[in-house]
Amino acid sequence: RSLSQLDVNGSRVLVRVDFNVPIEQGIEAIAGYDQRLRATLPTIQYLIERGCRTILCSHLGRPRAKVDEALRLGPVGDRLAVLLDHPVKSLPEITGPSVEAAIAGMAPGDVVLLENLRFDAGEEANDPGFAQSLAALTDYFVMDAFAVAHRAHASTVGVTEYLPSAMGFLVEREVTSMGRALESPEKPLAALMGGAKVSDKILLLDNIMDKLDHLFIGGGMCVTFLKAQGHGVGASQVEEDRLEFAREMLGEAEKRGIKVHLPSEVVVASEFAADPAEVQVSSADGVPEGGIIMDIAPSAAQQFASELQQCRTVIWNGPMGVFEMPRFSEGTRVVAEAIAGAPGVTSVVGGGSTAETVEALGLMDSMTHVSTGGGASLEFLGGIELPGIAALPDAD
């Protein structure tokens, strides 16, 4: 059920959002990575326009069920108020008499933000008592935190037992965009896989192999796949326990007629460092002993870019190199710009580090859909049921 199917006019509405942003680096860091805040604005504005009393709740960091002054949500509320161009009152507690009094004093259109949910042990334990105390504050519940939809917590699953509930516009957009890419993608369909580990992508690959036309592999993942093909990879880190899976994937792709793209050339460094003593471009089958693969080479990036632009749907998860080190970010940039600039290409970008990469490159608005969820998007694309969505009722 969607928020638009609930008659919330003038009501108190509890909205689970995900404002888990890099607060430890100060307000400037929040402003630099506020995708998760901006993604919730349509839901919050919809409620304001209908005279609702909007009660936002979120976790922040890992305070381990105790109050951590560095993880209070007040600064996040301040940033939200700027983005929303509307006052947001941050409350210093989650539940209790002072919170109840603050909510009782709200006027239509007011917005409050409860304190960090994970200050209370009942949140992650999905404690019924804690869930009931949240539900008692309000008339309706809206789940708009896709990034934690894979967690069965009190504020994602528990409260749905006690309140009429629906998904917010952010969650609806996530489910619709990624669901369409999985179930009825415009062909050719490509999966662009990168990041550090093969193990993170196993479920995703298993779930989409029968639909794929192209499989592109870069980042740390390509090391294991290159090794599986029999290539020497120098001192690059190999997931030895995933070599057999990589061989099976390559065999399955060949059997299904899926074109696999691995970099023909890679950028190799003498050490895993931002500014190593030696950096060179090497053929993928000629990585020097002691060398570490840090990025796909410019030629490989251009080849990936050209092929990706011929596809009609691209599911992307994981950078092509060690993107956080500027010297090894070029492969990711070339590929990202190719996807963003390709007319007629539907681009679905997994969350986490991939979303941060897209935001850092200034390409957020050029992609069809950039997920706000890291682990949640991987599980969704991997065909796993997400508790925070499964707990919501079906449309009337």
Side-chain angles (χ1 to χ4, degrees), residues 175-188:
V175 171
T176 300
S177 297
M178 289 196 288
R180 187 181 298 121
L182 287 177
E183 294 163 15
S184 56
E186 190 175 351
K187 306 276 269 178

Side-chain angles (χ1 to χ4, degrees), residues 132-357:
Q132 283 180 295
S133 68
L134 287 171
L137 301 172
T138 185
D139 305 306
Y140 294 95
F141 172 68
V142 173
M143 175 61 176
D144 214 29
F146 182 77
V148 288
H150 60 320
R151 306 295 188 200
H153 293 169
S155 68
T156 60
V157 171
V159 292
T160 65
E161 297 285 329
Y162 311 106
L163 290 169
S165 305
M167 58 181 173
F169 299 135
L170 162 62
V171 168
E172 185 174 6
R173 189 167 64 250
E174 295 268 16
V175 171
T176 300
S177 297
M178 289 196 288
R180 187 181 298 121
L182 287 177
E183 294 163 15
S184 56
E186 190 175 351
K187 306 276 269 178
L189 169 64
L192 174 63
M193 300 287 104
K197 295 180 179 179
V198 174
S199 52
D200 292 341
K201 313 295 192 303
I202 288 176
L203 288 173
L204 194 165
L205 287 171
D206 278 341
N207 194 42
I208 64 175
M209 281 297 282
D210 62 339
K211 306 175 182 72
L212 278 185
D213 300 294
H214 294 266
L215 174 58
F216 296 81
I217 303 172
M221 275 187 70
C222 80
V223 174
T224 300
F225 275 83
L226 289 170
K227 180 72 177 290
Q229 288 185 324
H231 299 310
V233 293
S236 308
Q237 188 171 357
V238 177
E239 287 181 88
E240 298 287 347
D241 59 339
R242 301 302 180 194
L243 281 171
E244 187 55 37
F245 170 80
R247 294 187 188 102
E248 289 174 2
M249 281 289 106
L250 291 169
E252 187 71 14
E254 185 176 6
K255 186 169 70 176
R256 292 178 179 274
I258 300 167
K259 187 173 182 182
V260 177
H261 306 260
L262 280 159
S264 55
E265 291 188 321
V266 289
V267 177
V268 177
S270 56
E271 57 185 318
F272 190 89
D275 192 20
E278 295 180 31
V279 176
Q280 63 178 295
V281 171
S282 166
S283 64
D285 58 358
V287 176
E289 189 174 346
I292 299 173
I293 296 174
M294 301 291 280
D295 195 7
I296 62 174
S299 60
Q302 290 294 344
Q303 188 175 16
F304 276 27
S306 176
E307 295 275 0
L308 283 163
Q309 288 180 328
Q310 305 308 309
C311 298
R312 283 293 161 264
T313 306
V314 177
I315 297 174
W316 177 24
N317 197 289
M320 297 294 99
V322 189
F323 180 80
E324 61 271 22
M325 298 180 184
R327 198 167 180 182
F328 306 111
S329 64
E330 187 66 8
T332 302
R333 184 191 64 77
V334 170
V335 170
E337 288 179 350
I339 299 170
V345 175
T346 298
S347 48
V348 177
V349 180
S353 62
T354 320
E356 292 176 22
T357 298

Side-chain angles (χ1 to χ4, degrees), residues 16 20 23 58-73 94 115-121 123-124 153:
R16 179 45 159 114
N20 189 28
I23 193 172
S58 177
H59 76 284
L60 179 60
R62 294 187 173 95
R64 309 201 184 282
K66 63 180 185 296
V67 174
D68 183 336
E69 294 297 328
L71 294 175
R72 287 193 177 276
L73 277 164
I94 309 166
E115 190 49 277
N116 192 338
L117 291 165
R118 290 187 182 173
F119 285 177
D120 194 300
E123 164 63 358
E124 292 185 87
H153 293 169

